[in-house]
Amino acid sequence: VAGGVGVYALIPIAAVAICIFASLLVMYCYSILCINPSKHPRRSAFHDTKQRALSYPPAYPNGWYEIARCDDVLPGKILQVEGLGKKFAVWRSMAGKLSVLDAFCPHGGANLCGGSVVDDHLQCPFHLWEFKSDGGVGKVPWLDEPPAHIKAKTWPFVEYHGMVCVWFDAEGRAPLYQPPRVAQIDDGRMRFCGSWDVNRPIYMHLIEYMENTVDVQHFTPMHGKMSIPWTTVQIPGVEVKFDSKVVLGSEDGAEKLGPANSPHFLYFLNTSSLTFYGKDVPRTTARVEVQFIGPGSIVRFLFTIPDLGEIVMFQTHLPLLENRGLAQRIRYQWFASNNIPKALASYVVGEWVSNWWADVGVWEEKIRKNAPALVKGDGPIQRGRRWFKQFYSESSAEASTPQSFDW
C-alpha cells in the first residue's frame, strides 16, 4: 500500500513536468512561426530604386512623427534618432525636462549626441559649448556672456502616450493640428499592455498605408483567411467577411469619431465576422475604428471587445533616408481596459500584425500608379489621394531630396 501511495504521489509531479515540456515545445514552435521581418528580406531588390521613388510624391509629408519612446530618454541621457532626412538629439535634463534639438552644433557642426547633459544644458563634445532646451547658448567656456544671436535648431514636440513625437513641416510652420489624447489612458481606465518594434525597415512610401486602408477590394484576397496571431499560419476553414466605411475628418459625422471639423484626420470603420467552411459563425462580429492622425505617421486603432472593454493600439511610421525615402521604421504599442487580460490584448494586436505582414510583400515591390485603372467598387482611392495632398506644401519636394555634394 505504501508503495502504491508513492506511485500516486508522483502523478502530480509528472503532470507538471508534462505541462512544462508541452509549454516549452509550444513556445519553441511559436518562436519559429512568429513573424520576424529581419529574417524575411524583400523578395527581390527593385531593379531601379530611382524609378520607383519617382512614381511617388515626396517621401516626407508634413505631420507628427514618433521619434522615440519617453522611457528611453532618462534624465541625463541623449538619444540620437535618424528620420525624415534629419538627425535629432533627444535629451532630458537632470531635472527631467525633455528637449529635441537638431543633432549638429551650430558652432562647428559636431554631433551633439556625442556630448553630455550638464544640469539643464546639453554640452557639445567639440568645444564644450552648452545649449539650453530652447536652443539658446547657455555657456561658451572662454566668454563671459554667451552669444544671444546664436541658437541650435529646436523641433516642436509632444509627449504623447509614452511617445516623443516631433512636428515636421517643410515650410517651418507651427503645428497645424495636434494628436488627440485618449481619455481612458490619461485617467487610468486603460493600462499599457505591450509594444513591438518591427526589426527592419519596411521599404514602402507612407502613402501606401492610407491607400491600402481605402482599397476595399484587397481585403478578401489578402486578409480573407484567418491566421494564428503573430504568425502567417492560416487556420483551415476559417474565413473573414468585411464591411467597411471611410469618413474624412471634415465630413458630417466625423465629430462623433474625433475632433470636430478636423481635415487632417481620416477614419476607417470596419466590421468583420467569421465563417467556418462557408457557414456564418454567430457571436464572432468584431469592430475596429481606425483613426489616421495626419498622413498615417500616427495611426490609432480602437478595438471593442463586447462585455469586456476596449483596446487602443498605436502604429507609427517614421520615414527614413534609406532607399530614397521609401523606407519606414514601424512601431506598435497598445493599451487595454483594466479588466481585459494582457494575453487577450496581445491576441487581438497579433491578429492585426498578421494581417499587416500579409501586405508587406506587396508594398515593398510595387510602384504607385498616378492614373490607376480603377473600376466600380474599387473603393474611395482617389478620394483618399485628394485628402493626402494636404500634407504637402511648396517646399516638400526639396525637403525630401537628399542633400548632394555638388557645391
Side-chain angles (χ1 to χ4, degrees):
V1 175
V5 172
V7 171
Y8 285 113
L10 292 175
I11 291 178
I13 299 175
V16 170
I18 291 172
C19 289
I20 292 174
F21 175 77
S23 298
L24 291 174
L25 182 61
V26 169
M27 290 171 64
Y28 173 73
C29 293
Y30 205 75
S31 69
I32 295 174
L33 297 173
C34 195
I35 291 169
N36 184 351
S38 68
K39 292 184 179 180
H40 299 278
R42 296 173 66 190
R43 289 194 297 265
S44 63
F46 198 88
H47 71 281
D48 190 340
T49 301
K50 181 178 180 180
Q51 175 192 355
R52 182 173 180 236
L54 289 175
S55 74
Y56 286 96
Y60 310 140
N62 300 326
W64 289 99
Y65 293 87
E66 180 198 356
I67 59 170
R69 291 207 172 99
C70 297
D71 290 345
D72 291 338
V73 193
L74 301 175
K77 184 173 181 179
I78 310 166
L79 190 66
Q80 175 174 292
V81 180
E82 298 184 28
L84 300 160
K86 311 292 182 183
K87 280 187 173 67
F88 304 95
V90 188
W91 61 287
R92 200 180 290 275
S93 72
M94 301 307 293
K97 184 176 182 179
L98 187 70
S99 303
V100 182
L101 301 182
D102 190 272
F104 297 111
C105 178
H107 173 227
N111 190 336
L112 296 173
C113 299
S116 306
V117 175
V118 179
D119 296 327
D120 57 349
H121 291 171
L122 176 58
Q123 186 184 68
C124 175
F126 198 13
H127 299 98
L128 303 185
W129 282 36
E130 295 181 13
F131 295 92
K132 298 181 288 187
S133 60
D134 64 358
V137 181
K139 180 181 177 181
V140 175
W142 57 89
L143 294 180
D144 293 332
E145 292 292 333
H149 66 285
I150 298 176
K151 276 197 170 186
K153 178 177 174 54
T154 60
W155 291 88
F157 73 93
V158 293
E159 295 187 64
Y160 180 62
H161 296 311
M163 300 175 283
V164 181
C165 299
V166 299
W167 170 256
F168 175 86
D169 185 86
E171 313 304 324
R173 296 171 296 185
L176 302 178
Y177 63 95
Q178 293 290 333
R181 299 195 65 84
V182 178
Q184 299 97 309
I185 298 175
D186 284 336
D187 63 20
R189 284 177 290 164
M190 281 187 168
R191 71 197 189 285
F192 176 77
C193 286
S195 63
W196 184 64
D197 293 355
V198 180
N199 57 11
R200 72 162 174 86
I202 300 300
Y203 296 104
M204 59 180 284
H205 191 288
L206 183 56
I207 197 173
E208 289 292 355
Y209 198 71
M210 181 280 297
E211 294 199 8
N212 189 80
T213 300
V214 300
D215 177 10
V216 298
Q217 292 303 333
H218 94 283
F219 294 161
T220 298
M222 297 298 293
H223 310 300
K225 303 288 186 181
M226 183 75 170
S227 297
I228 297 174
W230 298 102
T231 78
T232 59
V233 180
Q234 295 182 344
I235 303 174
V238 181
E239 298 186 352
V240 187
K241 297 194 303 184
F242 303 93
D243 182 23
S244 61
K245 179 182 179 182
V246 173
V247 179
L248 302 185
S250 57
E251 294 177 341
D252 291 341
E255 69 279 357
K256 299 177 182 178
L257 305 171
N261 192 28
S262 298
H264 301 97
F265 295 75
L266 178 148
Y267 301 92
F268 171 73
L269 313 177
N270 183 69
T271 302
S272 59
S273 59
L274 302 181
T275 65
F276 185 65
Y277 288 104
K279 295 185 177 181
D280 291 337
V281 181
R283 298 179 62 84
T284 61
T285 299
R287 294 178 177 84
V288 59
E289 174 191 302
V290 183
Q291 180 187 56
F292 276 65
I293 302 171
S297 47
I298 304 173
V299 184
R300 188 219 66 189
F301 296 76
L302 177 64
F303 302 94
T304 301
I305 311 298
D307 303 322
L308 282 179
E310 297 175 328
I311 298 168
V312 167
M313 180 186 80
F314 292 99
Q315 179 175 344
T316 65
H317 303 83
L318 178 65
L320 308 174
L321 183 61
E322 183 181 350
N323 208 49
R324 291 182 175 266
L326 300 189
Q328 306 290 324
R329 188 201 71 184
I330 300 178
R331 288 178 163 180
Y332 295 84
Q333 68 172 13
W334 54 96
F335 303 78
S337 299
N338 291 326
N339 58 329
I340 291 181
K342 285 189 175 183
L344 176 57
S346 179
Y347 180 96
V348 171
V349 172
E351 182 61 34
W352 178 263
V353 169
S354 294
N355 281 283
W356 165 82
W357 181 245
D359 285 320
V360 168
V362 174
W363 290 334
E364 293 197 314
E365 303 300 329
K366 74 185 295 296
I367 64 171
R368 180 179 183 269
K369 286 288 188 179
N370 288 323
L374 299 176
V375 297
K376 185 177 180 180
D378 266 329
I381 294 174
Q382 296 291 37
R383 182 165 147 233
R385 287 186 171 187
R386 289 191 295 270
W387 172 82
F388 200 90
K389 282 184 178 180
Q390 69 180 306
F391 301 107
Y392 291 112
S393 54
E394 183 179 353
S395 303
S396 289
E398 180 182 355
S400 299
T401 302
Q403 298 293 318
S404 78
F405 293 99
D406 298 331
W407 295 333

